[in-house]
């Protein structure tokens, strides 16, 4: 057995979930409260943001520049420099397909060569979100759909990879997924570190929210909230 799978199973046995309730359902997330047995034998409640998971793209052109986008993020009420990225909000969508869609929608690009660069657990203290970051080269322009909401205000620019690394250390680039992607890409470009294939296994991909919505809604877009009663009936974390 894979040691990682064994470690995950042992953790699940040690931190047993004795009760679970969906507290909030919204189009792109849900909030779940689990009662978890702690190592000392007592129980504690843990609130978890359920998430579809996401993909981000480090797109590198022939001049060794990375495509960055500047987007307003209301949670921090400011513009942030980021990588093109988006969530897995279509039932059964493969990560690379979602990434290709986002690359076209956000910056009007497609790429011929794809690799899995790294995976980022963005905020494991409170959220299931995991982002798979792809490295993409041999780029060409494709038609970009009409942008909506914050994306209508998005700007994009090519940045030399060394300058993007400098943006990380100056604090100008602070989005955690972009930081990880830029630093990982720069290291790969400097050292030639072997990368995983585009379809590499993704055991960290969060699936509970997607499976629940798929069971209730079927195929198609999953950004539709469920009534709390229905969500709790389908809550995988509820003990039998």
């Amino acid at each position: 057995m894979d040691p990682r799978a064994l470690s995950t199973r042992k953790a699940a046995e040690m931190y047993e979930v004795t009760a679970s309730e969906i507290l909030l359902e919204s189009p792109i997330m849900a909030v779940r409260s689990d009662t978890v047995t702690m190592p000392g034998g007592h129980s504690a409640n843990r609130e978890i943001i359920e998430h579809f998971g996401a993909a981000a793209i480090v797109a590198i052109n022939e001049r060794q520049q990375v495509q960055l986008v500047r987007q307003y993020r209301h949670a921090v009420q400011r513009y942030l420099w980021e990588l093109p990225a988006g969530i897995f909000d279509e039932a059964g969508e493969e990560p690379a397909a979602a990434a290709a869609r986002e690359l076209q929608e956000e910056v009007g690009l497609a790429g011929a060569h794809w690799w899995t660069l790294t995976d980022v657990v963005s905020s494991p203290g409170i959220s299931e979100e995991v982002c798979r970051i792809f490295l993409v080269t041999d780029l060409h322009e494709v038609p970009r759909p009409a942008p909506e909401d914050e994306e209508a205000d998005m700007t994009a620019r090519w940045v030399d990879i060394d300058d993007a690394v400098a943006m990380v250390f100056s604090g100008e680039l602070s989005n955690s997924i972009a930081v990880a992607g830029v630093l990982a890409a720069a290291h790969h470009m400097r050292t030639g570190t072997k990368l995983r294939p585009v379809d590499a296994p993704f055991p960290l991909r969060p699936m509970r929210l997607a499976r629940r919505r798929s069971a209730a809604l079927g195929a198609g877009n999953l950004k539709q909230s469920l009534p709390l009663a229905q969500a709790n009936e389908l809550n995988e974390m509820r003990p039998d």
Side-chain angles (χ1 to χ4, degrees), residues 68 157 159-168 170 172-173 182:
L68 298 180
R157 82 178 191 200
V159 179
D160 289 338
I161 190 66
D162 289 341
D163 291 340
V165 170
M167 290 171 66
V168 171
S170 71
E172 187 178 1
L173 184 65
V182 164

Side-chain angles (χ1 to χ4, degrees), residues 14-15 36-44:
M14 178 180 294
Y15 293 92
V36 185
T37 301
M38 296 289 122
H42 66 285
S43 295

Side-chain angles (χ1 to χ4, degrees), residues 75-194:
V76 293
Q77 295 186 298
R78 65 186 63 199
Y79 288 91
L80 297 178
W81 284 107
E82 304 181 350
L83 300 172
I87 61 175
F88 303 139
D89 56 7
E90 293 290 331
E93 188 172 36
E94 291 299 320
R101 170 173 52 81
E102 292 296 337
L103 188 62
Q104 177 176 4
E105 289 179 357
E106 294 198 353
V107 293
L109 291 173
H113 295 109
W114 289 70
W115 297 268
T116 296
L117 181 61
T118 192
D119 298 321
V120 175
V121 184
S122 56
S123 187
I126 61 169
S127 176
E128 293 181 339
E129 181 184 11
V130 182
C131 182
R132 168 145 290 185
I133 306 177
F134 294 97
L135 177 67
V136 186
T137 63
D138 293 324
L139 303 166
H140 60 275
E141 294 184 355
V142 291
R144 183 189 178 198
E148 298 178 349
D149 300 328
E150 290 95 340
E151 290 185 5
D153 186 36
M154 179 186 291
T155 58
R157 82 178 191 200
W158 289 105
V159 179
D160 289 338
I161 190 66
D162 289 341
D163 291 340
V165 170
M167 290 171 66
V168 171
F169 292 106
S170 71
E172 187 178 1
L173 184 65
S174 56
N175 173 283
S176 62
I177 292 167
V179 168
V182 164
L183 294 182
H187 178 77
H188 167 72
M189 293 163 68
R190 185 175 65 253
T191 66
T193 302
K194 184 177 180 180

Side-chain angles (χ1 to χ4, degrees), residues 25-82:
E25 271 267 334
S26 70
I28 64 169
M29 55 165 277
V31 177
R32 187 186 78 240
S33 179
D34 291 346
T35 303
V36 185
T37 301
M38 296 289 122
H42 66 285
S43 295
N45 291 333
R46 294 290 179 262
E47 283 69 50
I48 305 297
I49 297 171
E50 295 186 333
H51 197 274
F52 292 122
I57 308 97
V58 179
I60 301 291
N61 65 14
E62 68 281 357
R63 299 175 62 187
Q64 305 295 289
Q65 296 173 315
V66 59
Q67 178 86 130
L68 298 180
V69 296
R70 184 174 178 266
Q71 183 172 357
Y72 177 75
R73 293 299 188 183
H74 190 64
V76 293
Q77 295 186 298
R78 65 186 63 199
Y79 288 91
L80 297 178
W81 284 107
E82 304 181 350

